[in-house]
Amino acid sequence: MGGWGAASSQAASCSGFPVKTLKQTQYYPGRAPVEAFNVARTPYTHTDTHTRMRAHTQTHIHRHTHTHTQSLSLARSLAIALSPGILVFPPVNSPSSPALEEAPPSVETSPKFLLPQLCSAVPTSGFGKWILQTQVLLEALYLTVDPYMRIMAKSLKEGDMMMGEQVARVVESKNSAFPTGTIVLAPSGWTTHSISNGEKLEKVLAEWPDTLPLSLALGTVGMPGLTAYFGLLDICGVKGGETVLVSAAAGAVGSIVGQIAKLKGCKVVGTAGSDEKVAWLKKHGFDVALNYKTVKSLEEALKVAAPEGYDCYFDNVGGEFSNVAITQMKKFGRIAICGAISVYNRTSPLPPGPSPEIIIFKELHLQGFVVYRWQGEVRQKALRDLLKWVSEGKIQYHEHVTEGFENMPAAFIGLLKGENLGKAIVKA
Ligand SMILES: NC(=O)c1ccc[n+]([C@@H]2O[C@H](COP(=O)([O-])OP(=O)(O)OC[C@H]3O[C@@H](n4cnc5c(N)ncnc54)[C@H](OP(=O)(O)O)[C@@H]3O)[C@@H](O)[C@H]2O)c1
C-alpha cells in the first residue's frame, strides 16, 4: 500500500495542529488563495536535546524545541503550502532550489511555511457533517520519512502533497469497517488530517501488543521490515551458514536484514556511517560492523571481515560502495539490489556501475526488487513473523523519532544525511 506515489487523491486533508486547537468553520474549503493565510515567517525550532522515551522499547526522541530563524537558502527548497491540506515540497533539485547537500544542519524557516496558519481554516468540532457516508476522518499519530521520497518528490508539482504513509486514528467515522478509534495505516501523505473512503486503509495487526509502539507499523513491522524480510529470504534466498554483507546496516531496512540473517544462522557483516551505529550493530549480534567512512580501505576491510567472501550482499546504497563490495563476492553470489541511497541526491551524472568482468566470471546473480511485489497472505505472514520476532525480543528495533509534524522537513533531510539510527519517524 501507499508509499511509492503521490498521496492518495481520495484523501482530502488538512495539515497542521490537532483538530481541537483549530478555530474556524469550514473544514475543506478547497484551494484557497495563498493570500488567505498569514505568510509571516513561522518561528522554526530545532535542538539536539535527546530524550529517551520508553527506554525498554529503544525509542529515541529527537526533540525540536528552541526557536531560531535564519536566511532562506533551504527555504527555497522546502515546504510551500498553498491550500488547506495540500503541501508542496518541491523537488529539492529543481532548478529553483539548492541541492540538499547545501542544506544547513537545521531546517530554516520558509516565509511560505504555512502549517500553523493553514489549520486556522478548520473548525473545532462537528466534523461529522463534513464527511460523507463511507468516509472516515483520520488524525495522524506517526508519519514516516523514507529515502524513496527523495526520488518520488522529483515528479511533484507545486500544489501536490508530499507522499507517504502514516499511522492514524479514526476520529470521525461513517464507515462501519473503520469505527472511531480504529488505528490504521494510511497513505495520506504529509498531513495531520485526512479524509478517506477506507479503500486504501489497512488496520494494524489485530494481535499488536500494547507493549509495542504503533510507530513500528511504519518500520520494523511495516514496509522497511518487509523489505528486509523478502529481500533477504526471497531475493537473496539466504541459507544458514552463509556469509551476508549488508550496507546502511544500521538503518530501518539494514538493521532488520542483519538480524534476520543472524536468526537464520548466517555470519553477518554490516557497514554504517558512524561509530555509534557500528557499536549498535555489534551490540545486536552483527559478527562484524564497520564504519565505511573511516576505514582506510573499504576493499581491505571487507576482505578482512570475511576472508571467505560473501554469499549474499543486501545492497542499500549502490554507487562506489557497491562497486567495491561486489569484488568481495563468492562465485555464484547473490545480490539483492534494494536501494541506491548514495546516488539519490546526486547532482552530477551517475557513477560507473560494477565491473562486468566480476559479474561474469564470478557468475553473480543481481536482482532488483520492490517490496510491494509481495501482497496478500504472504505479506500478512511476513508481518506476523516480524511482529512475533520483535515481541519475543529476537529482533531489536531502534527508532529515531522527531517530535512535531512541522519538523518533517528536518527529519527527511536528517535521514538523507545519515542522522537516523534505525527507523526515522515523526511523531505528529
Ligand atoms: N526496494 C524496496 O522496495 C525498498 C523499500 C524500502 C527501502 N528501500 C531502500 O533501502 C535503502 C535503505 O532504506 P531505509 O528506509 O532503511 O533508510 P535508512 O537506512 O534508515 O536511512 C538511510 C541511511 O542511508 C545512509 N546513507 C545516506 N546517504 C548515504 C550515502 N551517500 N552513501 C551511503 N549511505 C548513505 C545513512 O546511513 P549511514 O550513516 O550508515 O551512511 C542513512 O541513515 C534505501 O536505499 C531505500 O531506498 C528499498
Side-chain angles (χ1 to χ4, degrees):
M1 67 176 286
W4 292 82
S8 164
S9 57
Q10 63 163 333
S13 48
C14 173
S15 50
F17 296 129
V19 174
K20 56 183 177 298
T21 68
L22 308 175
K23 291 192 180 67
Q24 292 180 7
T25 52
Q26 196 181 10
Y27 171 55
Y28 187 60
R31 280 180 163 274
V34 71
E35 306 79 59
F37 304 105
N38 172 7
V39 295
R41 179 178 293 198
T42 305
Y44 207 85
T45 61
H46 185 105
T47 187
D48 286 325
T49 306
H50 290 212
T51 307
R52 278 255 173 222
M53 185 180 84
R54 292 184 299 246
H56 63 287
T57 63
Q58 306 159 349
T59 298
H60 176 152
I61 305 278
H62 185 74
R63 281 187 195 282
H64 297 257
T65 51
H66 75 73
T67 300
H68 82 117
T69 55
Q70 289 180 13
S71 61
L72 298 175
S73 65
L74 183 62
R76 277 179 285 141
S77 72
L78 286 174
I80 298 167
L82 291 180
S83 64
I86 301 187
L87 275 181
V88 179
F89 287 79
V92 283
N93 62 350
S94 71
S96 62
S97 58
L100 271 178
E101 298 93 307
E102 295 167 28
S106 57
V107 173
E108 299 166 7
T109 305
S110 163
K112 292 180 178 173
F113 195 51
L114 295 174
L115 305 177
Q117 289 81 11
L118 279 177
C119 280
S120 65
V122 181
T124 47
S125 60
F127 283 104
K129 67 183 174 208
W130 298 105
I131 57 173
L132 306 174
Q133 282 307 319
T134 78
Q135 289 185 331
V136 295
L137 174 67
L138 301 170
E139 183 172 77
L141 303 175
Y142 299 100
L143 301 100
T144 177
V145 286
D146 294 295
Y148 76 82
M149 293 170 176
R150 182 67 180 88
I151 304 170
M152 302 303 291
K154 292 176 186 171
S155 59
L156 295 185
K157 304 178 300 299
E158 282 195 9
D160 292 342
M161 182 162 56
M162 192 74 173
M163 74 297 295
E165 277 194 311
Q166 55 178 245
V167 171
R169 180 186 291 118
V170 174
V171 290
E172 292 273 354
S173 177
K174 290 187 181 171
N175 183 326
S176 57
F178 299 97
T180 300
T182 308
I183 303 294
V184 293
L185 272 172
S188 300
W190 288 24
T191 181
T192 59
H193 295 84
S194 55
I195 292 175
S196 165
N197 62 11
E199 240 175 58
K200 295 186 177 171
L201 301 183
E202 178 183 5
K203 292 179 190 169
V204 296
L205 290 173
E207 58 268 43
W208 197 281
D210 290 343
T211 49
L212 291 181
L214 289 164
S215 48
L216 287 189
L218 298 169
T220 304
V221 191
M223 185 277 279
L226 291 170
T227 305
Y229 184 103
F230 291 119
L232 186 70
L233 302 179
D234 278 23
I235 301 295
C236 282
V238 81
K239 294 185 279 294
E242 291 188 322
T243 302
V244 176
L245 172 64
V246 52
S247 52
V253 175
S255 60
I256 307 307
V257 171
Q259 293 186 75
I260 296 177
K262 286 307 298 175
L263 280 182
K264 297 292 169 190
C266 299
K267 170 177 172 178
V268 182
V269 177
T271 59
S274 75
D275 291 346
E276 184 201 1
K277 292 182 181 184
V278 164
W280 192 90
L281 294 174
K282 287 181 177 162
K283 186 174 167 200
H284 291 100
F286 283 63
D287 297 282
V288 184
L290 303 169
N291 182 341
Y292 70 94
K293 290 181 180 168
T294 56
V295 290
K296 269 203 191 123
S297 154
L298 179 62
E299 185 177 353
E300 196 49 35
L302 294 178
K303 199 178 285 177
V304 169
E308 69 278 20
Y310 298 91
D311 298 282
C312 299
Y313 170 39
F314 195 105
D315 182 6
N316 282 317
V317 301
E320 296 298 345
F321 182 101
S322 295
N323 290 349
V324 174
I326 215 167
T327 65
Q328 301 305 309
M329 298 301 292
K330 283 185 188 171
K331 200 164 165 76
F332 303 116
R334 292 98 66 197
I335 301 179
I337 302 178
C338 173
I341 194 165
S342 73
V343 297
Y344 293 170
N345 217 23
R346 73 185 180 277
T347 49
S348 48
L350 274 174
S355 153
E357 286 90 344
I358 292 173
I359 297 172
I360 294 164
F361 290 110
K362 290 198 174 195
E363 301 190 55
L364 301 179
H365 182 97
L366 286 74
Q367 190 175 351
F369 70 99
V370 174
V371 64
Y372 299 109
R373 180 197 306 188
W374 294 272
Q375 293 295 335
E377 183 43 37
V378 69
R379 183 176 178 281
Q380 290 307 308
K381 179 187 178 310
L383 286 173
R384 286 194 299 270
D385 283 350
L386 290 163
L387 184 64
K388 185 166 176 290
W389 290 335
V390 173
S391 304
E392 292 173 355
K394 290 181 175 160
I395 282 188
Q396 303 296 318
Y397 64 89
H398 195 282
E399 294 183 316
H400 182 93
V401 180
T402 299
E403 283 208 338
F405 173 75
E406 68 279 13
N407 292 315
M408 288 207 69
F412 183 45
I413 290 169
L415 171 85
L416 297 172
K417 290 163 71 182
E419 286 172 6
N420 62 303
L421 200 173
K423 178 72 187 101
I425 292 286
V426 175
K427 188 168 184 288

